[in-house]
């Protein structure tokens, strides 16, 4: 068995050359990441604060992956699953904008778009249950 070095902030296993640490970094764009790193990439749990909001949740290979919450400065929020940096799986999106008719969507996501079965809640309290299709959304919005 190789040497195992440990401090309060890091763990280094010489057997598999796994370098794990918990720290923070400020990027050129002003965003700040505080959380876990493996081999210089965001990995595990962490928080990214950026100009338009913040993301708190799981990371894998430097991308949002697993459960997380993204809160935007305009009051909008997504809480749910991510895969390879995109909304993927089950999640809920909340709008906080008087100009939109819908205030909440809860349902399936694929590649960052509403896709599959979902429920939308309108500002007047009406609930709309629909089947969303990524193919149709892609055509309509050039995704």
């Amino acid at each position: 068995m190789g040497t195992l070095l440990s401090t309060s902030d890091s763990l280094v296993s010489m057997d598999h050359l796994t370098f794990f640490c918990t720290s923070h970094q400020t990027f050129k764009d002003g965003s700040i990441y505080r959380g876990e790193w493996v081999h210089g990439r965001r990995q595990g749990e962490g928080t990214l604060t950026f100009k338009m909001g913040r993301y708190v949740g799981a990371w894998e290979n430097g991308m949002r992956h697993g459960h997380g919450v993204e809160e935007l400065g305009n009051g909008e929020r997504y809480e749910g699953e991510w895969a390879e940096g995109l909304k993927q799986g089950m999640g809920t999106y909340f709008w906080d904008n008087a100009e939109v008719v819908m205030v909440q969507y809860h349902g399936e996501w694929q590649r960052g778009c509403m896709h599959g079965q979902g429920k939308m809640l309108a500002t007047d309290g009406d609930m709309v249950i629909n089947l969303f299709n990524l193919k149709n959304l892609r055509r309509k919005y050039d995704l």
Side-chain angles (χ1 to χ4, degrees):
M1 183 172 199
T3 307
L4 186 65
L5 307 173
S6 178
T7 69
S8 61
D9 292 327
S10 63
L11 177 67
V12 180
S13 170
M14 302 310 265
D15 285 339
H16 298 84
L17 296 177
T18 299
F19 297 92
F20 169 86
C21 70
T22 302
S23 67
H24 72 278
Q25 181 174 352
T26 302
F27 299 93
K28 288 181 183 179
D29 66 1
S31 60
I32 300 170
Y33 174 77
R34 296 179 194 282
E36 300 171 342
W37 299 81
V38 173
H39 296 295
R41 291 187 177 184
R42 294 174 280 218
Q43 181 83 16
E45 294 296 314
T47 300
L48 178 67
T49 304
F50 48 95
K51 186 177 182 178
M52 299 301 292
R54 76 180 187 152
Y55 169 80
V56 178
W59 296 83
E60 187 174 299
N61 276 335
M63 294 186 282
R64 300 170 189 193
H65 196 90
H67 186 80
V69 177
E70 179 182 63
E71 298 171 327
L72 301 177
N74 63 4
E76 294 179 14
R77 185 174 93 238
Y78 172 78
E79 184 173 334
E81 298 303 311
W82 296 79
E84 299 178 351
L86 298 172
K87 298 170 187 81
Q88 179 80 21
M90 291 300 292
T92 304
Y93 197 95
F94 301 89
W95 286 270
D96 187 23
N97 184 338
E99 296 175 17
V100 297
V101 176
M102 297 298 174
V103 294
Q104 179 181 328
Y105 167 80
H106 175 76
E108 298 173 310
W109 293 79
Q110 185 176 359
R111 292 184 285 176
C113 296
M114 295 177 279
H115 179 79
Q117 188 168 352
K119 299 176 191 175
M120 294 190 98
L121 179 64
T123 53
D124 63 6
D126 285 346
M127 177 79 68
V128 177
I129 299 174
N130 205 343
L131 190 62
F132 294 86
N133 186 322
L134 179 61
K135 185 187 254 185
N136 293 339
L137 288 171
R138 290 185 72 153
R139 263 190 248 124
K140 186 173 181 180
Y141 298 105
D142 294 323
L143 298 174

